[in-house]
Amino acid sequence: MGNEKETPFVTAFLLMLKLFNYPLPGNIGDLFSLCQRLSHTMHLSSYSLDMIMDHNPRSYKSGNSDHRNTYDFIIVGGGTAGSLVATRLLDTKNKYKILILEAGSEPTWLTHSPFFNLFNWNNNDTTWGYYSSPQKGACIACRKKKVKYVQGKALGGTMNVGWNVYSRGNPLDYAAWVEATGDSSWSYEKSIKWFKKTENYRGKFDDFSSHGYSQTSTIKVTAQGIQPLVKEWLEGATHLKLNTTDPNDYQTQSLLKKEIWRKNLKITRFAQVNKIVFDSKHYAKGVIYRRNHQDIEVHANKEVILAAGVFNTPKLLMLSGIGPSQHLRDIGIKVKKNLEHVGQNLADQPTTFFGPVTVVHDKTFLPRRNLTYSTIIQYYVNQSGILGWDMLSGLGYYSTPSSQSPDHPNIAVTLMPMGVDPDTHKVVNTALSMKHGYMEKFLRDHKDNDAVWLAVTLARPASRGSVRLKNDDPHSHPVIDPNYFMEKEDVTNIAEGMTLVQSLTNTPQWSQVDAKLVDTQFPGCEKFKLKSLPYYECVAQHFTLSIGNIGGTCRMGKTAEDSVVNSKLLVHKVKRLRIVDASVVPTLPNGGTGTAVMMIAERAADMITDKWTHEVARHRDKSDSGSDE
Ligand SMILES: Cc1cc2nc3c(=O)[nH]c(=O)nc-3n(C[C@H](O)[C@H](O)[C@H](O)COP(=O)(O)OP(=O)(O)OC[C@H]3O[C@@H](n4cnc5c(N)ncnc54)[C@H](O)[C@@H]3O)c2cc1C
């Protein structure tokens, strides 16, 4: 950049930035509520506009003005998986008529900057506002001992609030899927084809056999390296003789943007699907959704595709009478099909923070120092500067000694270059729903320090939880219990992960930036020796959060006795009902579930196209059995 000639426009732009280079007035709390009010106003306007259009359909000039109620495919949820499947089905020559029903609307403008994205986490217009039930051995420092679940409620889904990390996981993760399903096509080697399909790789580890390079792909993957401390991160790991290979991140784009004007796609926003409708032969023939206080029934000629996410897909199945029969009876829902595994097997990667580790001046993001008019303008005009930093800038995987699986890491560590200033506790308390008092006390002596935090994630937890219905009201939140640390080995493993991080920050590479772990003990863990294993266990049990890598609630498997869907993602015991979202993963990959979900969605789109291309041929032969399994 330094060699490039400055145009008059660039000179004027840089001058303007200098003029505006002073901090915002007020504190971070004011900024939180200002952002929230602004985005709520935008959300309300968008809702009102939709409702006006509903009453005057002819004035709706987009390609979405189709008001029929029968489609080829109905996709429930326009999130990560739903929007990708729709995009691929539209790419075929078949001219399928597709309806996407999305409970939310558009993602907010806050989504664009990784830092401002944190402000989305409390936005009840664009997230579902879910919390877990109180945890017994975890989340002690969280409000009501509940973990906060950030689930996107807008086109683009949870990816809108995500960390931007593209990480597929370990081949052995997918070997477990092969074992669960008995279907070898789910192996990592065979799945590469679908990973590549989504990827437009521009990273540093070129390899045509494992990366996708198509410019028309949906996800642009670039190598990390622009941020300070990533160098120390990589060199410190090399010092510990750990591998440093293939770091990557992705930049989310709205997958559907270019599809929105197609005539055969209709996207209905503010449409919460509350029931799947079946005919007498157990074919999913459509859904009922609620919009503008009205219940509307729509039908699918071919399939109903569920992509409502890891909590709402099992919720919708149970509301429709498909789930554990005793539970459904207990809350007064008529059982359509008993499927014991709906809502079971919830796997979530518990995460805690190691740090803060203070470092030399000006190496990290300090909101009070770096959140200025000029950095905001620079980011929104030019997509550059400190607000473009990924909040998770370095990523590493590690096998703990207790796991006895050196080739299959069970810990993921991510570097977060966020300094500590007098408002940090407010950001943490609000974003992570922490109980008042803990962070205030913990950070009391560390103000205006450049620092990093290292998120330590138990990537392959042994504990399993569940999602259940609270009652038969579709608008009630589901009862979510991740059962964190119910298996003792989970606490031991995460604490061992923290010990590794400690040795990483003690390497000569980190000494060069004067890295020092603060010597204040986490409130509630004072009785343990700082930096000891029991101390780290205590921190993990107090300061527990979900990093959003969640799955398993409609797991894929062999039969109705061990799962909810088969390896073709079709729901057992009924017909023409498919699930394509994070709920189907049988076990969590140790990478990001979003990355795995995109691969699943790519595959699902191919399965659907294959099935219906053959179905047409079969129909011609008059041999349609109508059976899915
Ligand atoms: C904070 C956070 C950070 C993350 N960071 C990463 C990362 O860096 N890398 C990575 O790989 N993964 C990441 N993940 C995980 C990833 O975002 C999810 O696994 C993935 O987005 C799940 O996709 P999905 O299609 O299953 O669900 P979603 O993307 O959540 O889509 C579900 C959609 O369905 C809609 N919906 C729900 N119920 C209904 C209904 N009844 N009717 C109509 N619509 C409905 C929702 O509003 C939503 O739009 C992160 C998750 C979180 C929470």
Side-chain angles (χ1 to χ4, degrees):
M1 287 293 277
N3 295 334
E4 280 172 27
K5 267 200 161 171
E6 276 184 12
T7 63
F9 172 75
V10 173
T11 316
F13 178 60
L14 293 175
L15 191 69
M16 184 183 77
L17 289 183
K18 281 205 181 107
L19 287 176
F20 284 100
N21 197 15
Y22 53 89
L24 304 174
N27 61 34
I28 202 98
D30 296 337
L31 192 63
F32 253 113
S33 59
L34 176 71
C35 287
Q36 223 126 61
R37 264 179 281 146
L38 266 176
S39 70
H40 183 60
T41 311
M42 286 164 81
H43 183 80
L44 278 183
S45 349
S46 143
Y47 178 78
S48 316
L49 188 70
D50 260 34
M51 298 311 132
I52 293 167
M53 296 306 185
D54 269 6
H55 288 292
N56 185 9
R58 259 181 272 155
S59 69
Y60 202 14
K61 292 213 167 58
S62 83
N64 295 337
S65 57
D66 182 343
H67 280 256
R68 278 166 302 199
N69 73 350
T70 302
Y71 299 83
D72 289 316
F73 298 102
I74 294 175
I75 300 179
V76 180
T80 313
S83 56
L84 188 49
V85 168
T87 306
R88 295 302 181 229
L89 291 180
L90 287 167
D91 283 344
T92 66
K93 293 187 191 118
N94 296 310
K95 298 270 174 268
Y96 293 131
K97 289 191 182 59
I98 297 168
L99 171 67
I100 296 182
L101 294 168
E102 168 54 50
S105 65
E106 304 294 322
T108 69
W109 52 281
L110 296 169
T111 308
H112 300 294
S113 150
F115 173 74
F116 278 115
N117 203 3
L118 283 179
F119 292 64
N120 271 325
W121 288 17
N122 276 33
N123 188 338
N124 284 337
D125 294 326
T126 52
T127 63
W128 286 86
Y130 289 165
Y131 289 85
S132 73
S133 50
Q135 294 300 287
K136 291 193 189 83
C139 307
I140 298 167
C142 305
R143 262 177 241 153
K144 299 185 180 169
K145 295 181 76 183
K146 296 175 173 188
V147 76
K148 177 171 172 168
Y149 278 121
V150 185
Q151 292 287 297
K153 186 181 185 181
L155 291 167
T158 302
M159 209 93 114
N160 291 320
V161 291
W163 293 113
N164 290 355
V165 177
Y166 181 88
S167 173
R168 297 171 179 176
N170 187 286
L172 291 172
D173 296 326
Y174 297 91
W177 294 20
V178 171
E179 200 182 318
T181 56
D183 181 346
S184 64
S185 69
W186 282 102
S187 72
Y188 179 74
E189 292 70 23
K190 293 198 175 142
S191 299
I192 284 179
K193 174 178 159 194
W194 288 283
F195 278 120
K196 284 169 71 175
K197 226 172 159 181
T198 324
E199 199 184 22
N200 175 8
Y201 188 73
R202 292 291 175 268
K204 291 182 177 166
F205 294 88
D206 276 331
D207 177 357
F208 282 86
S209 63
S210 68
H211 286 300
Y213 290 85
S214 164
Q215 300 230 342
T216 57
S217 293
T218 27
I219 300 298
K220 184 174 173 196
V221 179
T222 56
Q224 189 52 273
I226 45 160
Q227 291 171 218
L229 299 172
V230 172
K231 183 171 151 283
E232 286 76 8
W233 168 262
L234 292 172
E235 289 177 358
T238 309
H239 181 85
L240 293 179
K241 299 196 170 33
L242 301 170
N243 272 335
T244 50
T245 49
D246 215 345
N248 48 37
D249 80 321
Y250 65 72
Q251 297 164 5
T252 308
Q253 313 165 356
S254 175
L255 303 176
L256 280 163
K257 241 178 220 161
K258 65 178 179 1
E259 310 300 343
I260 209 154
W261 300 105
R262 296 222 201 157
K263 284 234 161 57
N264 50 338
L265 170 68
K266 180 177 178 186
I267 302 171
T268 305
R269 312 180 302 176
F270 303 107
Q272 180 171 327
V273 177
N274 292 330
K275 198 166 184 182
I276 306 160
V277 186
F278 294 92
D279 70 10
S280 56
K281 290 182 179 157
H282 312 298
Y283 282 77
K285 66 171 189 180
V287 298
I288 298 174
Y289 67 91
R290 192 159 183 82
R291 182 176 146 96
N292 198 14
H293 311 291
Q294 277 186 310
D295 286 327
I296 300 161
E297 184 165 334
V298 277
H299 294 147
N301 285 327
K302 294 187 166 45
E303 283 186 24
V304 172
I305 298 168
L306 303 186
V310 69
F311 300 131
N312 286 340
T313 287
K315 178 183 163 195
L316 178 58
L317 282 174
M318 289 189 274
L319 285 170
S320 312
I322 299 182
S325 53
Q326 190 54 51
H327 172 55
L328 297 185
R329 266 187 228 111
D330 287 348
I331 51 173
I333 290 181
K334 192 167 170 241
V335 180
K336 174 137 202 70
K337 287 286 172 191
N338 175 31
L339 259 189
E340 288 295 332
H341 290 270
V342 174
Q344 300 303 299
N345 190 47
L346 167 65
D348 182 9
Q349 298 177 340
T351 297
T352 190
F353 276 108
F354 178 93
V357 178
T358 58
V359 292
V360 288
H361 186 65
D362 229 8
K363 282 277 183 188
T364 65
F365 179 79
L366 267 179
R368 279 247 172 142
R369 180 185 64 208
N370 299 114
L371 203 55
T372 63
Y373 288 107
S374 81
T375 51
I376 294 175
I377 296 169
Q378 185 180 7
Y379 185 74
Y380 278 97
V381 173
N382 211 21
Q383 271 79 56
S384 64
I386 203 160
L387 288 179
W389 284 13
D390 273 324
M391 284 296 126
L392 298 186
S393 57
L395 175 66
Y397 293 97
Y398 174 68
S399 291
T400 58
S402 297
S403 75
Q404 297 184 336
S405 56
D407 298 328
H408 197 185
N410 60 339
I411 294 289
V413 184
T414 24
L415 175 71
M416 196 170 173
M418 171 82 105
V420 184
D421 70 15
D423 293 329
T424 300
H425 64 273
K426 290 184 191 153
V427 179
V428 177
N429 284 353
T430 314
L432 304 180
S433 185
M434 302 285 291
K435 215 184 277 174
H436 184 75
Y438 278 91
M439 293 319 281
E440 286 81 347
K441 197 169 167 199
F442 184 47
L443 300 175
R444 197 175 43 206
D445 301 329
H446 311 283
K447 303 217 163 122
D448 291 319
N449 275 333
D450 272 276
V452 295
W453 299 76
L454 294 117
V456 182
T457 298
L458 183 63
R460 294 193 295 108
S463 308
R464 290 290 181 273
S466 62
V467 183
R468 297 245 157 172
L469 294 180
K470 189 172 176 193
N471 50 42
D472 62 355
D473 177 358
H475 296 283
S476 293
H477 286 192
V479 181
I480 306 168
D481 184 0
N483 250 329
Y484 284 147
F485 302 139
M486 283 316 282
E487 301 293 338
K488 170 74 180 109
E489 64 187 87
D490 284 354
V491 200
T492 312
N493 279 319
I494 200 166
E496 286 182 6
M498 293 173 90
T499 315
L500 161 86
V501 172
Q502 184 193 309
S503 40
L504 186 68
T505 54
N506 283 340
T507 56
Q509 289 73 17
W510 280 90
S511 303
Q512 281 166 20
V513 288
D514 211 9
K516 283 190 192 78
L517 174 66
V518 299
D519 55 8
T520 316
Q521 270 158 314
F522 196 85
C525 301
E526 293 88 348
K527 66 177 177 202
F528 299 107
K529 192 166 161 258
L530 197 73
K531 301 182 185 172
S532 66
L533 211 56
Y535 172 73
Y536 287 137
E537 288 189 358
C538 178
V539 174
Q541 287 177 303
H542 277 71
F543 193 5
T544 330
L545 60 133
S546 170
I547 204 161
N549 290 328
I550 316 165
T553 51
C554 292
R555 63 174 288 173
M556 183 167 40
K558 293 176 185 135
T559 67
E561 274 60 58
D562 65 18
S563 55
V564 177
V565 297
N566 64 18
S567 69
K568 297 255 180 274
L569 307 174
L570 291 160
V571 178
H572 298 302
K573 296 190 177 178
V574 293
K575 297 191 176 84
R576 297 198 181 167
L577 182 63
R578 206 182 293 258
I579 307 180
V580 297
D581 59 29
S583 66
V584 301
V585 309
T587 48
L588 290 177
N590 70 9
T593 39
T595 314
V597 164
M598 289 187 283
M599 179 274 283
I600 293 170
E602 290 282 8
R603 271 195 81 152
D606 279 0
M607 287 173 185
I608 295 166
T609 315
D610 268 11
K611 175 180 160 84
W612 290 101
T613 311
H614 290 129
E615 200 76 3
V616 171
R618 275 208 298 174
H619 215 68
R620 262 189 249 117
D621 297 344
K622 295 192 180 352
S623 59
D624 182 10
S625 70
S627 168
D628 278 333
E629 300 226 274

